[in-house]
Amino acid sequence: MRDAYRVLTAYRTEWPPVEHNLADNTNAFGSAPSAIAALAELATPGGLASYPSVTVTGLRDALGDWLGVEPASLLPGCGSNDLLDSAMRALADPGATVAYAAPTFVMASYFAQSNSLRPLAVPLRPDRQVDAGALLATRAPVIYLASPNNPSGTATSRELVRTVLDEAPGIVIIDEAYAEFADHSWAVEATHRPNVMVTRTFSKAWGLAGLRLGYAVGSPELIGEVEKARGPFKVNAVAERVATAAVRNDRAWLADVVARTRAGRERFAGRLREIGLDPLASAANFDRLPVDDAQRVAAHAMRSGIAIRGFKGLPGIGDLVRVTIGPDEVMDLLVDALESLPS
Ligand code: PMP
């Protein structure tokens, strides 16, 4: 067995069947409607007998129109996880360091390790912003940062990201899984820089986590290298057809989901304050609430049929629960549950 794997534990988070899943930042408002309609068209005899497109051209064209970038700057894969994994293989040699702003998405360090790179955590500043100076001081050939970050929810300040992009000695990966909910994306700029790759996903704002579809954005040269590591046919025919329909037809639906999520985020935070709790500001589709005992609070919510995610002892933050924003009625149920938390 590969030495680097001895310290790894396979990712296994799974929720028991629950009435309301507010635990994994998927879309609690549903899925893009054209995606669901497009599924039916594939349900014909022979509809799935052929391989999918190896270049995923239909989807890359649709994404290019939407984002305002050339299709050659886009690489779809099996979730943004796949692109992060592939980038760690393609963009550094075994043994190289991957510096990342921590705490962040757990799979960043996992994929570094599973590709025999050395993950190096650089703590966020006390204001939960990226410590650009400390990240750059590592001289790591790969720097990963997520904006908005998960689980801190913070959008990284543009000045700090720009400093990292301008001064990084190697590649910078910006994970934008939650970019639709924030005020800024680096996707277009990534296509003009030789050393920047942005990852995005259909799992969150588009409501299509079950499809397993994400994409990377960057210069055609960089994207071409990551494609070699990703390999062919990672985007299946269903995912391509369904997501292309969504990107072509459901942009107004997406805008509505984003507006409802942003409004719901503020409303939920306001309701928490009304019952004496103190949530942290968020730029993503989830709110965060520091608590004394994250496990106890998550277990209590579960008894009311609501899954939320508890994090224990996050560096610089402590225990917190992370709550995906859904329809107001569901958020109100959760507020009721939190209000009745035995002390
Ligand atoms: N990046 C971040 C920051 C995430 O929170 C997640 C999902 N939890 C992902 C990437 C993975 O997304 P995907 O479903 O596209 O693999």
Side-chain angles (χ1 to χ4, degrees), residues 24 79-81 84 105 144 146 150 175 177-178 201 203-204 212-214:
D24 54 16
S80 52
N81 268 320
L84 294 172
F105 181 43
Y144 165 93
N150 171 23
D175 181 336
Y178 302 98
T201 185
S203 299
K204 310 298 179 185
R212 304 308 301 130
L213 185 62

Side-chain angles (χ1 to χ4, degrees), residues 5-225:
Y5 284 36
R6 291 187 204 286
V7 292
L8 285 175
T9 310
Y11 184 87
R12 279 283 159 70
T13 301
E14 223 157 20
W15 307 108
V18 67
E19 204 169 340
H20 304 291
N21 177 3
L22 304 181
D24 54 16
N25 306 334
T26 45
N27 195 330
F29 297 98
S31 299
S34 302
I36 304 306
L39 266 181
E41 289 169 29
L42 282 160
T44 57
L48 291 173
S50 304
Y51 277 98
S53 153
V54 71
T55 52
V56 206
T57 307
L59 176 61
R60 284 168 50 242
D61 286 348
L63 281 172
D65 284 350
W66 176 48
L67 297 169
V69 304
E70 289 300 319
S73 283
L74 291 162
L75 182 69
C78 178
S80 52
N81 268 320
D82 188 23
L83 285 324
L84 294 172
D85 182 26
S86 303
M88 301 277 184
R89 263 194 308 286
L91 304 177
D93 284 312
T97 301
V98 180
Y100 64 99
T104 192
F105 181 43
V106 289
M107 296 311 288
S109 60
Y110 181 97
F111 287 135
Q113 280 175 299
S114 65
N115 288 294
S116 295
L117 307 184
R118 278 194 322 115
L120 177 62
V122 174
L124 292 174
R125 302 188 320 205
D127 63 356
R128 291 184 295 280
Q129 275 296 337
V130 161
D131 191 335
L135 271 177
L136 290 166
T138 65
R139 308 308 293 158
V142 180
I143 291 177
Y144 165 93
L145 43 95
S147 185
N149 190 28
N150 171 23
S152 71
T154 319
T156 309
S157 101
R158 289 186 217 179
E159 291 67 31
L160 290 173
V161 176
R162 199 170 290 286
T163 304
V164 174
L165 300 190
D166 287 344
E167 296 175 25
I171 303 288
V172 182
I173 299 171
I174 308 176
D175 181 336
E176 291 195 347
Y178 302 98
E180 287 87 350
F181 303 103
D183 294 327
H184 185 72
S185 165
W186 295 91
V188 172
E189 184 159 344
T191 65
H192 303 305
R193 290 186 179 249
N195 66 328
V196 182
M197 185 181 105
V198 165
T199 54
R200 306 266 303 244
T201 185
F202 280 87
S203 299
K204 310 298 179 185
W206 288 102
L208 297 169
L211 270 191
R212 304 308 301 130
L213 185 62
Y215 52 98
V217 194
S219 72
E221 294 72 26
L222 186 140
I223 285 298
E225 293 306 299

